[in-house]
Amino acid sequence: MGDRVMGDGVIGDEGGGAVRAPLLSVRDLKTYFFQDDGMVKAVDGASFDVFAGKTLGIVGESGCGKSVTARSIMRIVDRPGRIVGGRILLRSAKGTGSNEIDLAQLNADGAQMRAINGGEIGLIFQEPMTSFSPVHTVGNQIVEAIRLHRAMGKQAARDRAIELLRLVGVPRPEGRVDEYAHQLSGGLRQRAMIAMALAADPKLLIADEPTTALDVTTQSQILNLLVDLQERNGMAIVLITHDLGVIAEMADDVVVMYLGRVVEEGPVDDIFHAPKHPYTRALLRSIPSVDSPPRRKLPTISGSIPHPYNRPPGCPFHTRCPDVMPGLCNVVEPPLVPVALGQMAACFLYPEVRAATAAPEPAAGGGRTPAPLLPTAVGRR
Amino acid sequence: MLSYLIRRILLALFTCWAISVLAFVIIQLPPGDFVDAYISNLSASGSGISLDQAQQLRAEYALDEPIWVQYARWMRLILRGDLGMAMEWQRPVTEVIGDRLWLTMVVSIAAVVLTWLVALPIGIYSAVRPYSPLDYLFTLLGFLGLAVPSFLLGLLVLYFGFVYFNANIGGLFSPQYADAPWTGAKLLDLLRHLPVPAVILGIASMAQAIRIMRANLLDELRKPYVVTARAKGLSEWRAIWKYPVRVALNPFASTIGYTLPYVVSGSIIVSLVLGLPTVGPLLLRSLIAQDMFLAGAIVLLLGIMTVIGTLLSDLLLMWIDPRIRVDD
Ligand SMILES: Nc1ncnc2c1ncn2[C@@H]1O[C@H](COP(=O)(O)OP(=O)(O)OP(=O)(O)O)[C@@H](O)[C@H]1O
Ligand SMILES: [Mg+2]
């Protein structure tokens, strides 16, 4: 994945050149919730690319804005939430060359956005129990999804719904199609949900914690299904989870989010073997490994996530960061820039990040210089 | 499903029987009986009857027998379809009630239907745009509607109708139709008169229904299936209309069960105020006269009709909610 050009908004788009343009580019996305008692910056400057046929994993602690990011892309953020800045560029390969649409500029309830939702982008998410209407049959809801995007008669759409259910491994789909969600098991429900998301062959599937509510066996079955489907139709997947094991298994690229911001991004191997951001390292330390001695308390990240109402100034992670540089991290916000081949991080430990800000050298504030920290920080672990 | 149906119908039959006992007991509760009331009525107008005559009257209506014997006689009559004689009127109860029972039901059902027609859209709007200026306005109006007694509202409407429009708003018919036989024109006249009493009668339950619908829908709007619907590419309103509104209607449908009795009993006083030819004024008069056959019949019939209404609303609920349908 070293072929990305990820300057702010500069996207490799040479039309037929060796550089393949991403299917979806999110740039500096900001989604805020305007509530009476304060403003929640749920997503506050997130940028990443999604490529056709690849899986992008988004990880981060609960509440860091993963789901809001997903909903922002589909423009279905709940009131009082609103996209206040940034671009969401979706490329469609229709015609010659590529034409891109900025989803952030579209009317959220307009015809164009509605054609994209379900048509170009499919969504599945965590609660398989409640993601279906309890008073409509599964088939009714899948048929609806098909007919919204395909000019199909009722019977043809029903046949397609049955085919889709068969494709995602629902046994006896001719009968299941007329059942209600509460008559299906959790695993079957999630399969039916996937069938519905695939109703119009979307090029991008957003899976927001698709397996969190399922048991381990069912979880791996569903993940395998997603991999199979991706191999079959070449769709891109955005996989949102806080399970790093799932990320390791599924993702090609990883985006690490913290408090509404992307703090690190890169190919999955680099993220796992050479994490750059202190937050990523802390996350990786907190996964149990087979070799770790039993009954040993897992290391946790010290401190707690700041309340979204009072986000700390500077780097959002500085309140919990072991490598914090006072006078710099708590003053200036580090931008997300490349710090290694194909890998980007937003952390002042790296000279590239410091160079990208007009920020003063940390000596100005604290008196501690970052220089001695650097060798250990950059070295592989 | 079938066993549920049977259970439900048996329960309805039992409720009807309980109502008949209750109706009978309550009417017997006040001291004295019809003859006492009759005598005091007569003496108030200057005449009187002898003790012998009184005893004869009591025997005629079996008022001297123990209460359960009286109840048994009454039930036997009713099961034969005979509601007995209205003592005060000296005419069969069925004749005295006449169209009034149906008109009571027509007014009540019109009030319930109107309640739904108004409460549903407002409740939906308030839930979809909570804390918007209009939501606050509806909330305010709703509390007013709940707080103002319907008879007072009836008086106000009558007063303002008379003072400002010089119109007599009361009644269900124009004078020329009041005693006319049923024709299309009379029906039309009824429909023209219906809205005012229906609004006055329905306003309190309307306010309540708005709150219920708003709360139900607010709960449903947070459910993931709404996100699913939007993610399919449905427009916001179509998604809301097809899914959460549909689900929120289920508990709402079961509110007819208690809206109907509430409206029917409310109609008694409102009818008195507005001069509606329903059973309300009749019931009041028969209670004062301790005319137990008439009062008992009215209470029993109103009770049975409400039980039927509730049964129908339960069947409706069963029909629209697959979760109830299948679980049994
Ligand atoms: N409807 C809403 N109103 C107000 N704030 C909201 C709303 N939805 C989300 N938020 C806020 O946005 C932030 C991000 O929420 P989000 O659901 O994206 O987190 P997440 O990363 O998906 O977490 P999880 O792993 O628990 O799903 C949270 O602080 C949350 O409080
Ligand atoms: Mg989430």
Side-chain angles (χ1 to χ4, degrees), chain B residues 39-72:
Chain B
I39 292 171
S40 70
N41 211 0
L42 281 183
S43 53
S45 60
S47 54
I49 53 170
S50 69
L51 265 176
D52 264 6
Q53 279 172 301
Q55 214 45 51
Q56 204 181 330
L57 262 178
R58 286 207 169 86
E60 191 182 331
Y61 295 117
L63 294 179
D64 47 358
E65 307 224 24
I67 183 164
W68 58 86
V69 177
Q70 291 187 41
Y71 174 76

Side-chain angles (χ1 to χ4, degrees), chain B residues 189-205:
Chain B
D189 187 52
L190 172 64
L191 289 181
R192 253 205 310 279
H193 280 80
L194 210 46
V196 172
V199 168
I200 292 171
L201 203 51
I203 206 114
S205 49

Side-chain angles (χ1 to χ4, degrees), chain A residues 33 35 40 42 61-68 78 209 242 308:
Chain A
F33 286 88
Q35 291 170 326
V40 181
E61 279 166 294
S62 191
C64 70
K66 306 183 294 289
S67 300
V68 173
D78 288 332
E209 310 197 25
H242 31 222

Side-chain angles (χ1 to χ4, degrees), chain A residues 71 74-76 79 108-109 114 117-119 121 123 125 127 130-136 140-141 144-145 148-149 180 182-183 193 196, chain B residues 128-129 131 220-221 223-238 242-243 246-247 250 320-323 325-327:
Chain A
R71 291 185 187 196
M74 304 191 82
R75 303 297 311 275
I76 51 173
R79 245 170 284 268
D109 209 28
R114 282 187 276 125
N117 281 349
I121 307 176
L123 174 71
F125 49 98
E127 299 88 350
T130 44
S131 341
F132 278 105
S133 154
V135 297
H136 297 87
N140 174 309
Q141 295 170 73
E144 178 183 46
L148 275 172
H149 301 282
Y180 292 90
H182 65 259
Q183 292 169 280
M193 185 78 192
M196 184 153 76
Chain B
V128 175
R129 296 278 181 276
Y131 313 115
E220 294 304 326
L221 284 172
K223 301 269 171 76
Y225 64 77
V226 184
V227 180
T228 312
R230 294 278 278 129
K232 275 185 210 180
L234 276 180
S235 69
E236 186 185 2
W237 277 105
R238 262 184 77 191
K242 177 169 176 190
Y243 294 105
R246 174 68 183 69
V247 179
N250 287 356
I320 65 176
D321 193 338
R323 286 166 298 184
R325 226 184 297 153
V326 184
D327 287 352

